[in-house]
Amino acid sequence: MKHKALRFGVFLTLGLLISHTGAVPIQEGRDALQPRDNTTTVGISQSLLDNFQLFANFTAASYCPGNENSTSDSLITCTDNACPLVAADNVTSLVEFGGSNDTTTADIKGFVALDPTRSLIVVAFAGSGNTIRNWLADFAFIQVPYTLTGCTACLIHAGFSSGWAERRSAVLSAVMSALETHPNYTLIVTGHSIGAGIATLAGAELRSLNYTADIYTFGSPRVGNTAFATFVTSQAPQLGQNYRMTHENDPVPQLPPTWVDYEHTSPEYWLTGGTDTTDAYAASGIVVCEGIGNEECNAGTGLVPIDGTAHNHYLGLISACQGPVAF
C-alpha cells in the first residue's frame, strides 16, 4: 500500500506542477461545450480478437534484444515464448532501431518487418526502456503543433513528437520500399505503451501520404488534443482502421489527463472481467467504447489506486523480453 501511495503521489505532484507552470492551458468549460459520447457495446468477432493477439505478438517482439541491429532479412525472434505467432510465420526484418547501441534522445525501439505467410508489412514499436513516469514527466505534458495537412489546430505530446521525429525517416523509407516490392501486402502499425503513442503518429502520417494503414495499439497514453484525436479517428475507414486496446485498470491510458486537453482516438477495445494479470479473454466479453472523450471502459476505473501490472499484460506478457514495464 505504501508503494502505491508513493506512485500516486508522484503523479499528483506532477499534475500540480503542470497546473502552476501554465505549460498547457486548460480549456474552461470544455465538457459543457463538447458533450461526452459514452456509447458502449459488448463483444467483437473472433477474427478481430485473433488479429489483436497477432499484433500483440509483433509488439512483444519489438522489446526483444535479439531484434536489435540485426541485418536485413534476418528472422524476428523472441525469448520466453513472447511471440510464437510471429516465429511461426518466419517474419523477416527490414530495418531495426533502438536498443543498447542507440544514441538518439528518445531511444524508441522497434522494427519494420515482412510477414510473407500473411502478406503483411508490420511496423512495431516497443514501450520505453525507462519508467513510464519519468518518460512522461520529462516533457511535463507540454503540447507542440502537429502540422499534417488536414489536421487543423492539432497539438501533440512533445515527447511523442520528438520520438517519432527520430524514427520517421527510417520507418517511412522502409515502408515505402516494401510496398513498392509488395504492393498487395497489408500495412499494419502497432505498439505498446509509449510505443503505442509513436505508432499512432506513424500510422497517421503514413495515411496522410495515401497509404492505407491499420493501427493496433496496446495500453496507449493519450497522444494529443481533441483536434488530433478527431483527425486520426476520422481517417478511418478510408485509410485504415483504428484498434486501440486497453486492459482492466491500466493507468497509462489515463495519462496525460483530459484536463490538460488530451483525448483518445475512437474506438477503444477494453479487456475486462478478469484481473490485472489475466491474459485470456473471450471475444464475446470485450467491451467496445466509441466516441472521442468516452469516459467509460478503462477511463472509468480511475487512477486510484495505481496498479501498473495490468499495463504489462495484453493477451500475454507483452513486455516479456524486457521484463515488466516500470512505473
Side-chain angles (χ1 to χ4, degrees):
M1 181 64 70
K2 179 179 179 181
H3 294 302
K4 289 183 178 180
L6 176 61
R7 289 195 293 267
F8 174 66
V10 172
F11 283 118
L12 180 61
T13 300
L14 179 57
L16 291 173
L17 175 61
I18 295 165
S19 66
H20 286 292
T21 61
V24 181
I26 301 174
Q27 294 183 356
E28 296 182 2
R30 63 187 286 273
D31 285 347
L33 295 173
Q34 298 174 0
R36 300 294 185 172
D37 179 355
N38 288 332
T39 303
T40 62
T41 57
V42 180
I44 64 173
S45 67
Q46 184 60 48
S47 61
L48 178 54
L49 180 58
D50 291 344
N51 282 346
F52 272 118
Q53 183 72 72
L54 173 64
F55 299 121
N57 263 222
F58 270 98
T59 305
S62 68
Y63 277 100
C64 298
N67 302 321
E68 296 174 11
N69 303 311
S70 53
T71 59
S72 180
D73 296 327
S74 60
L75 288 175
I76 297 293
T77 59
C78 298
T79 57
D80 300 316
N81 198 35
C83 64
L85 298 176
V86 174
D89 284 357
N90 293 316
V91 175
T92 57
S93 172
L94 294 176
V95 65
E96 299 171 357
F97 42 83
S100 56
N101 297 320
D102 191 75
T103 59
T104 61
T105 300
D107 189 19
I108 298 299
K109 184 176 176 181
F111 56 76
V112 182
L114 285 178
D115 184 338
T117 301
R118 303 176 195 264
S119 298
L120 300 174
I121 299 166
V122 181
V123 185
F125 297 97
S128 173
N130 299 314
T131 67
I132 298 298
R133 182 185 68 229
N134 289 345
W135 212 97
L136 290 171
D138 281 347
F139 295 93
F141 303 163
I142 292 172
Q143 294 176 334
V144 297
Y146 185 69
T147 56
L148 280 189
T149 300
C151 199
T152 305
C154 290
L155 301 171
I156 60 174
H157 187 282
F160 303 152
S161 177
S162 64
W164 169 233
E166 290 178 339
R167 299 306 183 208
R168 180 179 179 275
S169 178
V171 170
L172 294 184
S173 176
V175 168
M176 291 176 185
S177 177
L179 284 171
E180 286 182 5
T181 306
H182 305 281
N184 296 323
Y185 275 35
T186 299
L187 175 60
I188 304 292
V189 186
T190 186
H192 172 240
S193 192
I194 304 303
I198 305 302
T200 301
L201 294 179
E205 181 157 351
L206 283 161
R207 291 169 174 178
S208 76
L209 297 171
N210 292 319
Y211 296 107
T212 300
D214 289 340
I215 303 174
Y216 285 80
T217 63
F218 304 89
S220 178
R222 296 182 177 101
V223 180
N225 66 352
T226 303
F228 173 77
T230 302
F231 172 74
V232 177
T233 299
S234 68
Q235 290 180 315
Q238 290 85 358
L239 292 170
Q241 298 287 0
N242 299 309
Y243 299 104
R244 182 175 61 84
M245 180 166 276
T246 63
H247 181 213
E248 300 293 354
N249 62 339
D250 179 355
V252 172
Q254 300 178 51
L255 296 169
T258 58
W259 49 265
V260 286
D261 193 24
Y262 279 87
E263 292 290 6
H264 271 306
T265 60
S266 174
E268 170 186 0
Y269 296 83
W270 186 34
L271 300 173
T272 189
T275 71
D276 55 5
T277 60
T278 299
D279 291 324
Y281 289 87
S284 59
I286 294 174
V287 180
V288 184
C289 279
E290 298 182 10
I292 304 298
N294 195 316
E295 293 182 336
E296 302 297 323
C297 289
N298 171 266
T301 65
L303 277 169
V304 184
I306 286 177
D307 182 359
T309 304
H311 186 60
N312 296 303
H313 287 267
Y314 277 89
L315 305 175
L317 183 56
I318 200 164
S319 57
C321 281
Q322 172 184 273
V325 177
F327 288 81

